[in-house]
Amino acid sequence: MMGYQSNYQHKLFVAGFNLEKRIRKNHILRKILEKIDFNFIYKEVKEAYGNNGNVSVPPPVILKIMLLLVLYNVRSERELMITIPERLDWLWFLGYDLDDEIPDHSVLSKARARWGVKAFKSFFERIVWQCIEAGLVDGDKLFVDASLIDADASNNSVVDTQSLKRHLNKSYRHLEERLDDLTEQKATPANTRDISTTDSDASIVRQGKGKSKLCYKTHRGVDPKHEVITATKVTSGCVDEGEVLKEIIETHEQNTQKKVDTAVADSKYGKIDNFLLCHDLGIKAHVPSIEERHRGSGRQEGIFPKEAFTYNSESDTFTCPAGEVLRRRNYYKKRKHYEYKASSGICAQCELRGKCTRSQDGRSLKRHERQDDLDIMLTYATSREAKSDIKTRQHLSERSYARSDRYGYKRARWRRLWRMEIQDFLIATIQNITVLITQPKDRMSKSNVQIDQISKYLRQKWQDYSITAFIERFFSRFAFV
Ligand code: SF4
């Protein structure tokens, strides 16, 4: 028999209602509250509040509201505040009762300005440390990648800096400062010429054959064991990936208190400076070399590769396939390499010239002033282990950014770099929290220790994270049922 709903009468009073009982045991917000101590923020932002005046909304509540904003990817802060009284789980998470007054949305922007980036950075670092304590981070191998974020500004706001003085406005001084910053960050000239008057920290970036956009760029270091983000940084969109590698490695080491043994990245990081940086830091760079990638293509197509020439370290000369000697001629200070050439006229009469060079001046070779160190690094970069890591990187990094997509990382919520840093720290923190709360409680039980050991052994033996991660997940499933 079908039931009919009678006319609904709103109750004026509800007795025996308990928010605590309404939230299911495996609710994500309950798990977050069980694992995360939000009270740390009191100490962190203490200096930002005075001793007199209006009493503020408690900082842990504000932090939790910001967490909800990103976790549920709510586009507007007004919308979030309107929704809070309608959501029992959110009320419970924030420690509010049904009839408590919800703060105005402006508390969030005021808190961001008052607290600054430091508080959110500290939150991120604390969660990374919790992940380490839970045994979720190895720390010795680091996967590095970067991704563009669309700025919250229209392309129509972009002006040509060379005619900027005609558009003198309030923000002109700041725009000039930003141009100085970009020069320090080694941005390309094309990116420093156009600047947005709406968000002067964002920069115009051309994405493939697509349209140019105003962008920021997020750079991140991911530990492969459970894909915990151990280091993150936002820059203007035009900043080159390779320039940030050192900072990402240092941040990872600082946050994890572990020394990086291997850095894995794509060919955008495969610059000479980065190989030498890793050499000096005692790190194996599993990074495809840009030079290697372009070898044999373009103008080099069909001509003898560098390997066809034999280097003699005693005489510091090269011997070419025709048996002629190429001696050191010039030093290029900017690129820090020497040029080697045969005596004038020899190449012009050589029978192999067609296969060797297209230059009228004959064939020349370049050798970096630290070529021996570079050769060591390139041996690591082309090893079997490196090839496997580079393959794993593609999936691991894409997965990490795909997860960030749920929290709206592709679009800037706010304007200016410092606010973008806050957004970036919040997203990375939430991603790490989800790793933390999905792990079984007794990670260090006997079976877990064994799984850890098996996994580590397989990794060392096969040097393949994708296979070993699969095996680890497979065993873990049975161990915790
Ligand atoms: S072109 Fe010059 S460098 Fe090349 S093989 Fe001939 S002599 Fe040697």
Side-chain angles (χ1 to χ4, degrees):
M1 189 180 80
M2 188 163 58
Y4 289 89
Q5 189 177 29
S6 55
N7 285 341
Y8 180 69
Q9 290 287 319
H10 291 281
K11 287 176 185 162
L12 284 177
F13 305 102
V14 181
F17 179 83
N18 187 340
L19 258 181
E20 171 68 28
K21 287 182 183 168
R22 288 294 181 113
I23 312 301
R24 64 179 189 272
K25 292 281 176 251
N26 61 351
H27 196 293
I28 185 172
L29 295 179
R30 186 182 283 282
K31 287 183 179 178
I32 290 175
L33 273 193
E34 280 168 8
K35 291 266 184 187
I36 314 298
D37 175 21
F38 288 91
N39 287 337
F40 86 96
I41 198 74
Y42 280 122
K43 201 175 161 196
E44 203 64 47
V45 299
K46 197 177 168 204
E47 300 300 319
Y49 292 88
N51 296 324
N52 303 311
N54 292 337
V55 177
S56 76
V57 176
V61 176
I62 297 176
L63 187 59
K64 283 183 198 171
I65 295 175
M66 289 201 205
L67 202 81
L68 288 178
L69 182 78
V70 178
L71 181 64
Y72 289 90
N73 196 10
V74 183
R75 192 63 215 150
S76 116
E77 288 170 11
R78 281 173 196 266
E79 186 190 329
L80 177 84
M81 293 311 207
I82 293 167
T83 315
I84 287 173
E86 299 168 359
R87 293 274 307 244
L88 295 184
D89 51 349
W90 291 5
L91 284 171
W92 174 84
F93 178 66
L94 297 171
Y96 283 132
D97 217 332
L98 283 177
D99 48 3
D100 276 341
E101 193 182 332
I102 305 303
D104 185 73
H105 68 89
S106 62
V107 298
L108 299 182
S109 55
K110 284 176 191 163
R112 282 194 294 275
R114 195 186 280 255
W115 299 357
V117 180
K118 198 171 149 264
F120 298 90
K121 183 172 177 270
S122 172
F123 187 30
F124 169 73
E125 288 167 354
R126 285 175 70 91
I127 301 301
V128 171
W129 193 248
Q130 260 185 271
C131 291
I132 293 164
E133 287 184 327
L136 305 174
V137 176
D138 253 351
D140 54 358
K141 194 170 270 190
L142 182 68
F143 286 71
V144 185
D145 202 5
S147 182
L148 289 170
I149 306 168
D150 290 345
D152 184 24
S154 158
N155 279 5
N156 295 335
S157 67
V158 175
V159 292
D160 185 343
T161 48
Q162 292 183 5
S163 61
L164 195 62
K165 284 179 183 165
R166 288 191 287 113
H167 299 273
L168 277 179
N169 57 32
K170 278 183 193 169
S171 56
Y172 176 63
R173 192 179 299 169
H174 172 70
L175 291 175
E176 272 197 328
E177 280 170 13
R178 194 234 144 179
L179 285 173
D180 292 341
D181 289 348
L182 280 177
T183 314
E184 277 173 28
Q185 290 170 353
K186 297 184 185 173
T188 57
N191 299 118
T192 51
R193 179 166 175 167
D194 297 320
I195 201 160
S196 165
T197 51
T198 311
D199 187 350
S200 54
D201 290 335
S203 55
I204 283 281
V205 178
R206 186 183 292 277
Q207 292 170 284
K209 289 178 185 169
K211 208 178 155 193
S212 297
K213 278 183 182 173
L214 277 166
C215 289
Y216 285 96
K217 195 177 275 180
T218 172
H219 310 258
R220 107 179 1 174
V222 180
D223 183 90
K225 190 175 182 188
H226 285 275
E227 300 181 16
V228 171
I229 302 164
T230 51
T232 186
K233 180 177 173 66
V234 180
T235 61
S236 190
C238 60
V239 173
D240 190 83
E241 280 89 338
E243 304 295 332
V244 189
L245 181 65
K246 187 181 181 196
E247 195 174 338
I248 293 290
I249 291 172
E250 284 172 353
T251 311
H252 168 88
E253 291 186 339
Q254 205 177 323
N255 289 347
T256 60
Q257 295 294 304
K258 289 192 178 178
K259 171 95 180 62
V260 175
D261 171 69
T262 310
V264 188
D266 65 21
S267 59
K268 286 179 194 159
Y269 295 83
K271 292 177 169 183
I272 289 173
D273 287 350
N274 283 334
F275 281 117
L276 293 176
L277 166 80
C278 290
H279 178 273
D280 295 344
L281 295 172
I283 295 170
K284 282 183 260 174
H286 288 177
V287 182
S289 157
I290 294 177
E291 202 180 316
E292 293 290 320
R293 204 178 164 194
H294 294 129
R295 183 160 295 179
S297 61
R299 275 180 63 80
Q300 294 180 14
E301 198 176 345
I303 65 167
F304 291 138
K306 199 177 173 183
E307 287 73 30
F309 296 73
T310 313
Y311 180 68
N312 187 335
S313 56
E314 282 178 19
S315 58
D316 188 21
T317 55
F318 281 94
T319 306
C320 75
E324 297 293 342
V325 175
L326 281 75
R327 297 185 196 285
R328 187 198 279 188
R329 304 281 175 188
N330 304 314
Y331 177 66
Y332 292 90
K333 201 176 170 187
K334 202 174 170 192
R335 292 180 179 253
K336 296 178 184 165
H337 65 223
Y338 294 98
E339 188 186 49
Y340 292 75
K341 287 181 99 175
S343 304
S344 61
I346 288 182
C347 290
Q349 295 161 9
C350 177
E351 288 178 3
L352 299 174
R353 185 188 166 90
K355 289 182 184 174
C356 191
T357 182
R358 294 192 183 92
S359 166
Q360 296 292 326
D361 297 337
R363 178 70 187 258
S364 67
L365 289 177
K366 293 175 184 67
R367 185 175 159 84
H368 196 273
E369 62 180 14
R370 290 182 62 191
Q371 191 63 43
D372 291 339
D373 295 340
L374 269 174
D375 288 343
I376 295 170
M377 296 310 286
L378 289 173
T379 309
Y380 288 136
T382 49
S383 65
R384 189 165 154 255
E385 186 190 349
K387 282 177 187 160
S388 167
D389 278 341
I390 290 163
K391 213 161 88 183
T392 305
R393 185 211 67 82
Q394 201 179 348
H395 304 293
L396 190 138
S397 298
E398 273 178 24
R399 199 160 46 233
S400 183
Y401 282 114
R403 284 177 186 152
S404 298
D405 205 12
R406 289 180 210 162
Y407 311 117
Y409 97 97
K410 275 190 179 168
R411 172 100 191 144
R413 287 182 170 276
W414 307 300
R415 288 171 185 163
R416 302 296 311 281
L417 185 61
W418 69 271
R419 292 194 186 94
M420 282 308 302
E421 286 181 276
I422 292 175
Q423 174 177 322
D424 191 51
F425 277 128
L426 279 170
I427 290 173
T429 306
I430 287 172
Q431 256 180 269
N432 288 346
I433 288 175
T434 55
V435 176
L436 192 63
I437 62 175
T438 48
Q439 295 311 307
K441 277 181 186 171
D442 56 343
R443 276 236 24 113
M444 296 320 285
S445 70
K446 202 177 167 193
S447 57
N448 279 313
V449 172
Q450 284 168 350
I451 291 165
D452 261 16
Q453 286 169 348
I454 294 168
S455 178
K456 217 163 197 168
Y457 170 76
L458 289 173
R459 250 180 243 148
Q460 280 165 2
K461 192 170 167 60
W462 290 350
Q463 301 297 344
D464 189 335
Y465 275 73
S466 55
I467 296 171
T468 51
F470 170 76
I471 291 171
E472 193 179 18
R473 274 199 296 274
F474 180 78
F475 277 120
S476 304
R477 214 166 158 182
F478 289 101
F480 301 113
V481 165

